[in-house]
């Protein structure tokens, strides 16, 4: 049965078939807004995938791996070549065989951590706005989210609100820095506060660091490197962002063996292993020289500045992102009721698509005054988008 929710949104009526724990989630905003981009022949600054190709040496490594016969299931926890390459990238000692679990993107790792460790009824602190799979996985695990909001305009952690969220029922906190969608890179003080509370309440930290190489201003501190934090932290990272291969879906979880056992228990029954030739190519990619990562961040600084300056020149209020390839722009100066009506206006009038970020909030209504743009696009695309946005009024 088709349900027409508005002129643009058509969903199958989820209540007919979808289990109760998922029926209120519907289609992800990324699918919806990518479709709207196509319908309006718009520049898609919605979903975070690059419109430029992966580096040649990474593509060649995948082709070579296929030719070399790396085409069957790998070791479930990850091809040894990749597990060792991952361990070598870490800022602290990591046992490649005992502490690394490779998954189909870090999205699968998020699910593995939650399904492997969190019990029904456990409280998990989630910082909003959030990457949308956190809440869906918590719902599938029948856990209880406790939300802490990063308030605009600067999106810093509010100490009193964070303290109030912790209790003896808290099992885990999910921390994402560099943070999608605000572009915040949490300061040492913010991470130390999380660490202090995690230790006090004996809480596990799921640290989503998929943008660790996309620090554009300031420095990223892996929370596992803070005192007494290694033993309670699971760190997630991903290949897709840093080598422009989001479609390869190679991610990993690094955690002490007690957590890794639980993560692998879920992983063996969800996907068993990630694509073998892509794992082998990922091992080559991760051993790229430092200059690759320096150039990579410098290119993104140019993209960020082009988009942020352009958005400001058109009239948006923008908190310039310190990391990631996303920017949250405040559209209030244009007088729209909410983010969805603003995003639709932009798609139709300017032929530019961004994501309405209320989908990344559970508690606060603050998302309604923002739009999220992704700047993982060529400079020409970003300049053209800014030019089109001149027609906004
Ligand atoms: C914060 C965050 N975590 C995890 C992911 C998932 O990454 P992957 O493509 O490796 O599954 C994303 C992707 O956009 C993200 O933004």
């Amino acid at each position: 049965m088709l349900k027409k929710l508005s002129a643009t949104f058509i969903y199958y009526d989820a209540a007919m078939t979808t289990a109760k724990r998922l029926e209120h989630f519907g289609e992800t905003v990324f699918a919806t807004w990518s479709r709207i981009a196509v319908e309006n022949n718009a520049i898609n600054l919605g979903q975070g995938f690059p419109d430029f190709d992966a580096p040649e040496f990474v593509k060649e490594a995948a082709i070579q791996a296929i030719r070399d016969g790396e085409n069957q299931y790998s070791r479930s926890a990850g091809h040894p070549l990749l597990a060792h390459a991952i361990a070598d990238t870490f800022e602290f000692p990591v046992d490649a065989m005992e502490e690394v679990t490779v998954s189909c993107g870090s999205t699968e790792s998020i699910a593995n951590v939650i399904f492997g460790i969190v019990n029904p009824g456990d409280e998990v602190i989630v910082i909003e706005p959030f990457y949308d799979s956190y809440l869906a996985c918590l719902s599938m695990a029948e856990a209880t989210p406790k939300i802490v909001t990063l308030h605009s305009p600067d999106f810093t952690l509010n100490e009193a609100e964070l303290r109030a969220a912790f209790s003896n029922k808290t099992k885990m906190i999910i921390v994402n820095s560099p943070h999608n969608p605000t572009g915040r890179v949490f300061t040492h003080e913010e991470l130390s506060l999380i660490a202090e509370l995690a230790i006090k309440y004996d809480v596990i930290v799921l640290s989503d660091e998929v943008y660790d190489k996309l620090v554009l201003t300031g420095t990223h501190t892996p929370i596992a490197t803070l005192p007494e934090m290694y033993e309670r932290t699971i760190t997630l990272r991903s290949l897709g962002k840093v080598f422009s291969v989001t479609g390869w879906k190679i991610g990993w979880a690094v955690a002490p063996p007690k957590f890794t056992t639980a993560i692998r228990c879920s992983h063996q029954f969800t996907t068993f292993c990630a694509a073998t030739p892509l794992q082998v190519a990922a091992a080559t990619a991760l051993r790229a020289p430092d200059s690759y990562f320096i150039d990579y961040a410098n290119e993104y600084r140019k993209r960020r500045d082009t988009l942020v300056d352009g958005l400001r020149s058109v009239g948006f209020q923008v908190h310039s992102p310190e990391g990631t390839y996303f920017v949250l722009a405040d559209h209030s100066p244009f007088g729209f009721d909410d983010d969805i009506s603003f995003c639709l206006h932009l798609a139709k009038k300017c032929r530019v698509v961004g994501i309405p970020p209320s989908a990344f909030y559970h508690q606060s209504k603050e998302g309604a005054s923002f739009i999220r743009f992704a700047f993982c696009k060529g400079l020409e695309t970003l300049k053209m988008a800014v030019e089109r946005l001149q027609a906004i009024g």
Side-chain angles (χ1 to χ4, degrees):
M1 185 179 160
L2 276 178
K3 194 175 185 184
K4 198 156 189 177
L5 298 178
S6 74
T8 317
F9 302 98
I10 301 171
Y11 294 128
Y12 285 95
D13 189 343
M16 300 295 289
T17 47
T18 310
K20 290 212 177 320
R21 65 177 86 87
L22 278 178
E23 68 187 11
H24 53 287
F25 284 96
E27 183 182 56
T28 77
V29 276
F30 307 113
T32 304
W33 289 89
S34 289
R35 191 173 57 242
I36 292 170
V38 172
E39 282 167 9
N40 290 280
N41 193 20
I43 297 176
N44 188 356
L45 304 186
Q47 193 172 13
F49 58 85
D51 71 347
F52 41 86
D53 206 0
E56 280 306 311
F57 78 96
V58 177
K59 293 195 294 184
E60 282 304 326
I63 293 162
Q64 194 57 47
I66 291 172
R67 293 218 165 97
D68 288 348
E70 296 276 9
N71 297 310
Q72 310 308 329
Y73 299 127
S74 73
R75 170 176 170 268
S76 173
H79 195 295
L81 276 178
L82 179 55
H84 283 283
I86 289 168
D88 289 347
T89 63
F90 267 73
E91 299 78 359
F92 48 89
V94 169
D95 185 317
M97 291 295 108
E98 302 299 326
E99 295 185 310
V100 176
T101 308
V102 177
S103 57
C104 294
S106 57
T107 305
E108 190 212 323
S109 281
I110 293 164
N112 290 336
V113 170
I114 292 173
F115 299 157
I117 295 176
V118 176
N119 283 309
D122 282 347
E123 287 190 2
V124 176
I125 299 175
V126 178
I127 296 169
E128 72 175 7
F130 42 70
Y131 178 57
D132 62 345
S133 85
Y134 303 157
L135 239 56
C137 287
L138 290 175
S139 179
M140 286 190 272
E142 297 175 14
T144 306
K146 295 284 286 184
I147 306 292
V148 175
T149 306
L150 296 176
H151 297 289
S152 58
D154 56 2
F155 303 110
T156 50
L157 260 183
N158 179 298
E159 178 170 351
E161 290 177 12
L162 185 67
R163 281 190 189 279
F166 276 84
S167 76
N168 293 332
K169 289 194 228 142
T170 313
K171 176 77 166 258
M172 181 179 283
I173 177 169
I174 305 179
V175 181
N176 168 220
S177 181
H179 181 258
N180 170 13
T182 66
R184 283 289 328 283
V185 175
F186 288 148
T187 60
H188 199 272
E189 287 70 34
E190 287 171 307
L191 294 170
S192 299
L193 175 66
I194 294 170
E196 176 208 314
L197 293 166
I199 293 165
K200 178 171 172 196
Y201 290 95
D202 193 18
V203 164
I204 300 163
V205 177
L206 172 54
S207 184
D208 180 341
E209 300 179 10
V210 299
Y211 300 100
D212 69 317
K213 293 286 187 285
L214 255 179
V215 180
L216 308 175
T217 308
T219 40
H220 163 62
T221 306
I223 196 166
T225 62
L226 298 186
E228 296 175 59
M229 287 306 290
Y230 157 78
E231 59 262 36
R232 62 179 65 255
T233 303
I234 299 156
T235 305
L236 307 188
R237 294 187 187 165
S238 176
L239 193 79
K241 325 289 174 189
V242 65
F243 292 100
S244 310
V245 287
T246 57
W248 284 19
K249 296 301 290 183
I250 301 283
W252 49 91
V254 164
K258 62 183 173 186
F259 298 141
T260 293
T261 304
I263 292 165
R264 290 180 182 178
C265 194
S266 167
H267 169 66
Q268 66 188 340
F269 297 124
T270 46
T271 60
F272 185 77
C273 70
T276 304
L278 302 185
Q279 290 191 62
V280 174
T284 302
L286 289 182
R287 296 201 186 278
D290 290 349
S291 59
Y292 173 82
F293 301 97
I294 293 167
D295 293 348
Y296 166 81
N298 281 336
E299 288 305 309
Y300 269 101
R301 285 186 188 101
K302 285 188 219 154
R303 295 181 186 117
R304 172 193 62 181
D305 295 345
T306 301
L307 185 62
V308 167
D309 293 350
L311 290 172
R312 285 182 176 148
S313 74
V314 171
F316 286 95
Q317 289 159 1
V318 182
H319 173 87
S320 182
E322 294 134 27
T324 76
Y325 46 50
F326 299 111
V327 57
L328 270 192
D330 187 338
H331 63 74
S332 337
F334 303 108
F336 283 77
D337 285 346
D338 58 40
D339 53 340
I340 296 180
S341 53
F342 181 74
C343 287
L344 276 176
H345 171 78
L346 223 61
K348 287 178 192 305
K349 179 99 193 279
C350 306
R351 289 187 298 122
V352 175
V353 157
I355 296 282
S358 50
F360 309 139
Y361 287 81
H362 184 65
Q363 182 172 275
S364 163
K365 300 274 176 266
E366 283 172 67
S369 20
F370 288 91
I371 177 169
R372 190 197 79 170
F373 293 111
F375 55 87
C376 43
K377 312 291 167 183
L379 277 182
E380 289 314 309
T381 310
L382 295 172
K383 284 180 191 158
M384 198 190 299
V386 170
E387 220 174 280
R388 288 190 185 185
L389 288 173
Q390 308 288 340
I392 207 165

